[in-house]
Amino acid sequence: VQLQASGGGLVQAGGSLRLSCAASTRPNHMAWFRQAPGKEREFVAYIALSALSGGATGFSESVKGRFTISRDSAKNTVYLQMNSLKPEDTAVYYCAARATRTVLTVLRYPTTYEYWGQGTLVTVSS
C-alpha cells in the first residue's frame, strides 16, 4: 500500500485545516499520527475501513471534539478535519495503513501499521 498525504500548511490558532491521505489500495485500517520536534510520534486518530468494523473511529484525548476523521471509499482516501487548532498541534502529521484486519484496541499504536506516508507539516501560529 502506498500512501500520499497532503493538506498541511500554516494556520493561525483557532483555524482549520483538512489533511488527506490517498491509498493505492484499500487497507483495513488507517490512522493519523503526529510528531512534534523533539517528541515521540503520537497517535491522533484512526478509522476502521472494513465493512465488519462499520467505520469505527477513535481519537486521542488531546484532539477529541476538535478533529474528525472520515473516508471516501471510492477514492481510497481518508481525511483528517482539524478545527480549533492550537499551537500545540504543530507537528508533522503522518498517515498510516494496515492491510489486514485487527482489533480496534491496538489501532492507537504505531507498531500496528505496516505502511506510512511521507508526512505533511502543520504549523499553528499563536
Side-chain angles (χ1 to χ4, degrees):
V1 180
Q2 292 182 325
L3 303 175
Q4 182 68 44
S6 61
L10 174 64
V11 64
Q12 288 188 332
S16 298
L17 278 176
R18 188 178 78 159
L19 305 183
S20 301
C21 182
S24 57
T25 60
R26 182 181 297 184
N28 267 279
H29 309 288
M30 291 184 73
W32 289 94
F33 290 79
R34 67 186 182 187
Q35 188 166 17
K39 295 188 177 180
E40 293 186 352
R41 191 168 297 190
E42 67 170 349
F43 166 73
V44 176
Y46 71 74
I47 184 166
L49 299 175
S50 70
L52 288 177
S53 301
T57 60
F59 299 89
S60 68
E61 288 301 318
S62 62
V63 307
K64 193 175 292 184
R66 300 188 296 123
F67 292 11
T68 59
I69 189 169
S70 62
R71 59 181 171 173
D72 183 333
S73 298
K75 298 180 179 179
N76 285 338
T77 299
V78 167
Y79 303 99
L80 183 70
Q81 178 66 43
M82 306 185 294
N83 299 326
S84 301
L85 282 162
K86 304 174 181 180
E88 51 263 43
D89 293 317
T90 295
V92 176
Y93 283 69
Y94 297 91
C95 64
R98 179 182 172 93
T100 55
R101 205 166 67 238
T102 187
V103 295
L104 298 181
T105 52
V106 301
L107 293 181
R108 298 171 179 266
Y109 304 106
T111 52
T112 297
Y113 299 89
E114 305 134 319
Y115 306 98
W116 291 83
Q118 81 284 9
T120 184
L121 177 63
V122 172
T123 303
V124 185
S125 64
S126 57

